[in-house]
């Protein structure tokens, strides 16, 4: 059985050369002062929830030299995808186009935990 993966990504590339994920896109809105203080607070609360619930791939601690991106595992991350809805709403409000992408083969896996994979 093939495990399927899911990624919510915007339609512009980041420093990895790949489309920016939902968290990166929301950080861009925050850093560019495009969202309200309340929206910033809400985003940071969602971000903190994920930091508490989701292991951080070690490549992020190393500055991501391989330019990896992460994908959720479909089947073990339903709650996490539900928790992302406020961030999708934020992107919608500020007209940041995004796609919800499914793949059986997102790339070469360099990291894996119960909920996600990191790929290059």
């Amino acid at each position: 059985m093939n495990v399927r993966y899911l990624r919510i990504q915007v339609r512009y590339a980041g420093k990895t050369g790949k489309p920016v994920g939902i968290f990166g896109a929301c950080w861009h809105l925050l850093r560019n002062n495009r969202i309200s203080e309340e929206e910033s607070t809400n985003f940071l609360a969602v971000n903190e929830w994920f930091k508490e619930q989701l292991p951080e791939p070690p490549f992020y601690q190393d500055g991501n030299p391989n330019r990896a991106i992460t994908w959720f595992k479909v089947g073990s991350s339903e709650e996490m995808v539900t928790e992302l809805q406020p961030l999708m709403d934020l992107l919608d409000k500020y007209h940041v186009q995004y796609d919800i992408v499914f793949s059986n083969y997102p790339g070469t896996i360099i990291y894996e935990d119960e909920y996600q994979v990191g790929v290059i």
Side-chain angles (χ1 to χ4, degrees), residues 13-78:
K15 62 184 175 183
T16 64
K18 300 170 187 92
V20 170
I22 190 167
F23 284 96
C26 289
W27 277 112
H28 293 161
L29 290 173
L30 177 69
R31 283 193 292 255
N32 292 323
N33 296 313
R34 290 190 54 203
I35 59 178
S36 71
E37 187 174 325
E38 180 182 354
E39 291 165 336
S40 296
T41 299
N42 292 341
F43 163 61
L44 293 172
V46 171
N47 189 64
E48 189 60 32
W49 185 88
F50 273 87
K51 287 170 86 174
E52 292 171 3
Q53 303 298 317
L54 194 62
E56 182 179 29
F59 55 79
Y60 286 135
Q61 298 163 4
D62 297 335
N64 198 6
N66 294 323
R67 300 187 328 208
I69 59 172
T70 53
W71 290 70
F72 286 108
K73 291 181 175 181
V74 172
S76 63
S77 59
E78 290 89 357

Side-chain angles (χ1 to χ4, degrees), residues 4-10 12 14 16 18-24 60 68-74 81 84 98-103 106 117 119:
R4 291 182 41 99
Y5 305 96
L6 171 145
R7 180 171 167 81
I8 302 170
Q9 60 190 25
V10 296
Y12 61 86
T16 64
K18 300 170 187 92
V20 170
I22 190 167
F23 284 96
Y60 286 135
I69 59 172
T70 53
W71 290 70
F72 286 108
K73 291 181 175 181
V74 172
V81 173
L84 289 172
Y98 63 91
D99 299 298
I100 301 172
V101 181
F102 290 90
S103 177
V117 294
V119 302

